[in-house]
Amino acid sequence: MGKGIQGIPKLFAALCLGLLLGCGNGTEERFKPEAVTLIPKPKQLKLDEGSFRFTEATVLVAADSLAATVTFFREQMQDAANFPLRLQQQTPQEDYILFSSDQNLGPEAYILEVHSDYIEIKASAKAGFSYALQSLRQLLPVSFETNGAASLSVPNLRIEDAPRYAWRGLMLDVSRHFFETEYILKTLDRLALLKFNTLHLHLVDDQGWRIEVKQYPKLTEVGAFRVNQEDKHWNARATNDPDATGTYGGFYTQEDIKKIVAYAQDRGIQVVPEIEMPAHVMSAIASYPFLSCTQEPIAVPSGGVWPITQIYCPGKETTFEFLENVLNEIIPLFPSKYLHVGGDEATKTNWETCPDCQRRIAEEGLEDTEALQSYFMKRIGQFLEKKGKVLIGWDEILEGGLPPAATVMSWRGTQGGWEASAQGHDVIMTPENPMYFNFYQGNPDVEPLAFDAVNTLEQVYAFDPVIDSMSTAQRGHVLGAQANLWSEYITTPQESEYMLFPRLTALAEVLWSGNEQRDWEDYTQRLKRFMPRLEALDIAYSRSVYNVEVKAEQDSLSNGIRIVLKTEMPDAEIRYALNGNTLDAESELFTEALQIDTTTQIKAAVFEAGKPAGRILDKSFDFHKAAGTVAEVNPKSHEAYSGKGAATLVNVLRGSKNFHDGQWLGWLNTPVELQFDLGSLQEIEEVQLGTLENQGAGIYFPVTVAVSVSEDGKTFKPAGTFERAFKANGSSSLETFVVPIQNQKARYVKVSVSPYSSSKLNGVWMFIDEVLVK
């Protein structure tokens, strides 16, 4: 008799292993409901007693046409447990997965039935079978993802499932920063896991042309590379010399694209290319200057460009010849019926003075340059229609009139989607809030650099692509939604993953599960159990949902501050420590608002299993001589950034890098004078000014802060000055400017603040959040 574990006979070893793992198929192994973690949540799930366990004898019973569809599951099982999972067409008596055709089901629907001795999957198309296997994958232990599975059991159950929306997408911007083919394939695997069905690749923008076009080799020889200024912030990069050699970039060969598309198809995902026009094309114009109105040589820019004036010239026939030739090469690479042409953010100042454009306007009887863009888009739309493609454009293509068969992607809110659907056009909802995943997902003060707005996980989960005011007909035109990850600040795959996950899990449920399935608390509990799978997949996901935020407000009764600690994760255990005390799992549990009226430091974190689950909050509230006093500002702050008036400057609450947080007062292109009545004569040693700089958003630090003091509020004498010369700054920065004062007594303090000014800028914002008198 052969030997098994430690020399024990094989039969006895198998019995021992069966006792440990569930004794094989036919076992009554029990799975608790909370052990079934599926994201997105299926329409119907009924859990039964018992389980099915994969063994070396398990086979897949399927038609040869499904061979590519089941490949990922077979390969993963081979890696995880060294099980071959042979594919055959004959059904054995037990230990098999049967793939059955059911034409009564929709194209993406499936039924998954797990029994103790077999599994049956029913679907009408490859997509349904693929999604069923992804559900089966999520039912398997996390160790299945790490190639270290000891037991591969799944609970007996029945799932009936189908998606809510037909378009469940993600846009990756590979132009601003290039991502290699390998990362695109990994992203496709992750999208498939969550039952997304669309990857939108933003292949063209000012900063890089990313797809090979053999008829126009300079598009990749020149347009795919830019001067490397990666050491500078995106919005602080210099204009490049057209003769300088670009060294940063890359592109996909047509063979790369074929590989990506085939990989996606096997996972039920369509790949939609975006070939921008008429703007966001400086990379093309740098390659072929004849495409612009001026025909002047330009360089591929290394960073932000605004306004975008170097755009295609629609007055010349050579522009349309170029575009049609490009599209003739690109269209055969992408089987999807959709092709995205951009259409956004075109500044048409060159069209206004271009004789070719003006001649086109006259010949076509167009009203103006807005109508010329509509002509441009309609002409391209007609070309695509002849090629069997549907044009998609950003909602700016509504301006001047839509191409007849166009689909609109609504990004400037949802109004564009509402208007397009009212006109009978299909729409895809992707409003900046909350579908732009390049926005912060938590407190900007502690998050990696991102665009200057916040879209939290909870905001994503609460999103609905359908607007209440839509008619039944309009709702029928809403194909679905997608997340967009613009990559100005995303430079590595790890940074990309951090911005995508776990927000993609929330969007997956929004787009797949019906509203009746969605529940924030239930989702977050499943997300907790899903996070180890993300870790096993080596995804550098964010845990910002666990970060502790402070909600603080003045308490008028106590003249102090009322502080509430909160986190997105429901029922989280928040612990805190004050004024330098150690923060650990034994620290005070936060249960009710804290009242403070003296300078206080607070540290706080969510704790799970005795350890911080997210970042540790460390925040101080500085009570100073001017706190809560009478404040005056002249002139008044801009209505868009006015907080709670002048009192915002002395409320002890400091603003964050999110300048929309209500703690900032902002002024545009003007100096400001601030005055404070301390209520009595006080000895003053210094005045501090809290301020913010975000040059990319037009916000600049002040250049001069001058303090004067008075005993009677009438006669003021100079007390100190702080000066700061302008510096180029690509980051978002918080600073406190300090004006020393040599022990002067005063009741009234006046602070005069001068903004930075430049003839090169249309406007300069100055932001102040607190004036501290010490």
Side-chain angles (χ1 to χ4, degrees):
M1 182 177 289
K3 302 295 182 181
I5 301 173
Q6 298 287 324
I8 302 173
K10 280 187 175 179
L11 183 61
F12 184 63
L15 178 62
C16 292
L17 191 61
L19 290 170
L20 288 170
L21 301 182
C23 296
N25 294 337
T27 180
E28 290 304 310
E29 182 177 358
R30 293 177 179 272
F31 280 79
K32 295 180 180 179
E34 59 267 23
V36 179
T37 299
L38 291 174
I39 296 177
K41 192 173 185 177
K43 290 179 76 172
Q44 295 181 26
L45 186 153
K46 182 178 181 297
L47 188 63
D48 294 325
E49 297 288 340
S51 64
F52 176 92
R53 185 161 63 87
F54 288 86
T55 72
E56 293 183 5
T58 306
V59 297
L60 305 180
V61 182
D64 290 339
S65 60
L66 289 177
T69 302
V70 302
T71 294
F72 87 90
F73 193 77
R74 295 178 68 192
E75 290 178 347
Q76 197 161 350
M77 189 64 74
Q78 180 73 41
D79 292 339
N82 200 28
F83 292 168
L85 286 187
R86 296 184 309 278
L87 185 65
Q88 64 184 48
Q89 294 186 4
Q90 293 182 335
T91 305
Q93 291 186 339
E94 62 180 5
D95 206 2
Y96 61 87
I97 303 177
L98 174 63
F99 294 78
S100 302
S101 176
D102 186 340
Q103 295 306 308
N104 293 319
L105 297 173
E108 294 188 299
Y110 69 90
I111 296 173
L112 172 62
E113 293 183 345
V114 179
H115 305 275
S116 295
D117 49 359
Y118 74 97
I119 295 173
E120 184 173 11
I121 295 172
K122 297 177 183 178
S124 65
K126 290 180 180 180
F129 289 117
S130 179
Y131 300 143
L133 285 175
Q134 295 294 349
S135 290
L136 192 59
R137 172 185 179 182
Q138 290 192 29
L139 292 170
L140 284 160
V142 170
S143 56
F144 180 65
E145 310 289 354
T146 61
N147 304 338
S151 172
L152 291 172
S153 295
V154 294
N156 288 351
L157 49 69
R158 176 183 171 87
I159 292 174
E160 293 186 29
D161 208 3
R164 182 184 179 201
Y165 287 104
W167 187 289
R168 307 180 303 282
L170 165 68
M171 187 281 293
L172 284 183
D173 171 11
V174 294
S175 177
R176 273 52 175 271
H177 284 95
F178 179 66
F179 293 87
E180 299 289 347
T181 299
E182 190 59 35
Y183 178 65
I184 304 302
L185 299 182
K186 282 185 178 180
T187 301
L188 286 166
D189 280 333
R190 293 155 184 179
L191 291 177
L193 174 66
L194 296 170
K195 301 184 177 69
F196 284 89
N197 66 356
T198 301
L199 175 63
H200 165 185
L201 287 178
H202 185 76
L203 293 165
V204 174
D205 215 299
D206 294 312
Q207 296 82 8
W209 184 286
R210 302 298 179 208
I211 184 169
E212 177 188 26
V213 179
K214 293 178 180 179
Q215 188 172 345
Y216 298 101
K218 287 185 179 180
L219 288 174
T220 46
E221 291 171 1
V222 176
F225 296 91
R226 63 188 187 231
V227 173
N228 191 333
Q229 297 190 47
E230 292 301 296
D231 59 327
K232 301 181 181 68
H233 184 276
W234 183 258
N235 291 315
R237 297 179 182 181
T239 301
N240 295 324
D241 184 333
D243 294 326
T245 300
T247 58
Y248 175 86
F251 64 93
Y252 306 109
T253 66
Q254 293 189 8
E255 291 305 309
D256 291 333
I257 293 296
K258 290 175 184 177
K259 181 178 180 180
I260 289 168
V261 169
Y263 197 86
Q265 283 184 309
D266 290 345
R267 287 151 182 78
I269 298 172
Q270 66 171 337
V271 181
V272 176
E274 182 179 357
I275 308 300
E276 274 273 12
M277 59 186 80
H280 290 283
V281 292
M282 291 176 69
S283 56
I285 293 172
S287 306
Y288 296 99
F290 74 84
L291 294 169
S292 74
C293 292
T294 64
Q295 302 188 45
E296 297 172 356
I298 64 169
V300 178
S302 295
V305 177
W306 192 260
I308 303 170
T309 57
Q310 287 286 4
I311 64 180
Y312 288 144
C313 175
K316 297 194 290 279
E317 280 301 302
T318 49
T319 300
F320 291 100
E321 290 172 10
F322 167 82
L323 288 171
E324 290 178 7
N325 290 335
V326 166
L327 293 173
N328 276 331
E329 279 198 43
I330 288 174
I331 285 171
L333 300 173
F334 296 91
S336 168
K337 71 176 184 178
Y338 295 99
L339 191 142
H340 203 302
V341 297
D344 62 314
E345 299 182 330
T347 302
K348 306 173 184 70
T349 51
N350 288 344
W351 291 5
E352 298 284 356
T353 58
C354 171
D356 293 311
C357 290
Q358 292 304 309
R359 183 175 61 252
R360 178 81 74 184
I361 289 173
E363 290 175 350
E364 298 293 334
L366 304 176
E367 186 175 340
D368 53 21
T369 54
E370 294 299 330
L372 182 58
Q373 173 154 341
S374 179
Y375 164 84
F376 189 118
M377 286 300 162
K378 287 176 179 177
R379 183 164 171 176
I380 294 296
Q382 290 168 359
F383 174 80
L384 291 175
E385 191 172 0
K386 290 177 183 177
K387 299 290 182 178
K389 297 290 185 181
V390 174
L391 177 149
I392 300 179
W394 303 109
D395 56 52
E396 282 94 333
I397 68 172
L398 282 160
E399 298 162 6
L402 284 170
T407 294
V408 171
M409 201 167 268
S410 187
W411 73 277
R412 295 178 300 177
T414 55
Q415 183 61 28
W418 195 98
E419 293 176 10
S421 64
Q423 296 176 28
H425 290 267
D426 287 343
V427 300
I428 300 154
M429 291 298 197
T430 179
E432 287 181 290
N433 185 342
M435 290 292 99
Y436 271 32
F437 284 12
N438 53 307
F439 288 10
Y440 288 102
Q441 56 197 308
N443 184 351
D445 293 354
V446 296
E447 288 289 312
L449 180 65
F451 189 80
D452 298 307
V454 178
N455 285 333
T456 65
L457 183 72
E458 190 170 7
Q459 287 173 313
V460 173
Y461 194 78
F463 177 65
D464 195 325
V466 168
I467 305 169
D468 289 342
S469 61
M470 282 180 165
S471 67
T472 301
Q474 284 178 282
R475 291 169 185 241
H477 283 292
V478 179
L479 299 182
Q482 74 176 29
N484 294 327
L485 184 61
W486 301 103
S487 67
E488 288 93 335
Y489 305 142
I490 312 298
T491 63
T492 67
Q494 291 74 27
E495 291 172 358
S496 178
E497 291 168 358
Y498 183 89
M499 301 304 283
L500 292 175
F501 294 94
R503 286 188 286 192
L504 272 182
T505 68
L507 181 58
E509 194 145 303
V510 167
L511 298 178
W512 182 277
S513 308
N515 281 343
E516 63 276 9
Q517 270 82 43
R518 283 203 282 158
D519 179 274
W520 171 247
E521 291 195 10
D522 174 67
Y523 158 74
T524 52
Q525 291 306 307
R526 281 180 287 119
L527 178 61
K528 280 185 186 180
R529 302 192 296 270
F530 196 78
M531 283 178 170
R533 193 171 297 269
L534 297 178
E535 291 173 14
L537 290 168
D538 199 27
I539 296 173
Y541 70 96
S542 166
R543 295 181 67 87
S544 302
V545 68
Y546 285 104
N547 290 352
V548 176
E549 301 287 340
V550 173
K551 183 179 180 181
E553 56 186 27
Q554 284 185 298
D555 188 331
S556 57
L557 295 178
S558 66
N559 202 29
I561 300 294
R562 183 176 182 271
I563 295 174
V564 174
L565 304 178
K566 61 176 185 173
T567 182
E568 279 192 276
M569 189 63 76
D571 301 322
E573 177 187 298
I574 301 176
R575 295 190 177 272
Y576 69 94
L578 303 179
N579 300 324
N581 288 327
T582 301
L583 176 66
D584 56 29
E586 303 302 317
S587 295
E588 192 76 20
L589 181 66
F590 177 79
T591 56
E592 58 184 358
L594 305 176
Q595 303 285 343
I596 62 171
D597 55 12
T598 59
T599 296
T600 303
Q601 179 202 30
I602 297 177
K603 287 185 178 182
V606 171
F607 279 81
E608 284 192 346
K611 296 180 179 179
R615 288 188 174 90
I616 294 176
L617 169 78
D618 188 346
K619 192 172 182 67
S620 294
F621 295 87
D622 194 348
F623 283 79
H624 51 92
K625 294 179 185 294
T629 60
V630 176
E632 299 176 8
V633 299
N634 184 33
K636 289 184 177 180
S637 57
H638 192 282
E639 61 182 8
Y641 303 101
S642 57
K644 293 185 177 180
T648 308
L649 296 176
V650 285
N651 66 359
V652 188
L653 309 179
R654 302 301 300 268
S656 70
K657 291 180 182 178
N658 174 17
F659 50 85
H660 302 285
D661 66 8
Q663 294 303 325
W664 292 100
L665 298 191
W667 291 266
L668 182 62
N669 296 328
T670 184
V672 62
E673 190 173 270
L674 316 171
Q675 186 168 315
F676 308 93
D677 179 357
L678 305 184
S680 62
L681 208 60
Q682 308 257 358
E683 190 169 289
I684 302 171
E685 295 180 355
E686 68 179 27
V687 173
Q688 301 179 4
L689 185 81
T691 187
L692 165 74
E693 183 165 74
N694 186 328
Q695 293 181 7
I699 304 168
Y700 292 78
F701 282 139
V703 292
T704 305
V705 181
V707 176
S708 55
V709 296
S710 170
E711 294 186 5
D712 59 7
K714 297 177 181 179
T715 304
F716 284 84
K717 59 181 179 180
T721 302
F722 175 92
E723 293 185 354
R724 184 188 187 280
F726 167 77
K727 301 174 186 176
N729 177 16
S731 301
S732 180
S733 305
L734 298 170
E735 259 188 49
T736 300
F737 293 170
V738 179
V739 182
I741 294 172
Q742 295 182 349
N743 298 333
Q744 297 205 34
K745 288 188 175 182
R747 172 176 173 175
Y748 299 91
V749 177
K750 184 182 293 184
V751 183
S752 301
V753 190
S754 300
Y756 170 67
S757 63
S758 171
S759 59
K760 297 179 180 179
L761 299 172
N762 293 327
V764 173
W765 284 95
M766 182 171 66
F767 276 63
I768 300 171
D769 72 333
E770 186 82 1
V771 177
L772 299 89
V773 178
K774 298 292 188 78

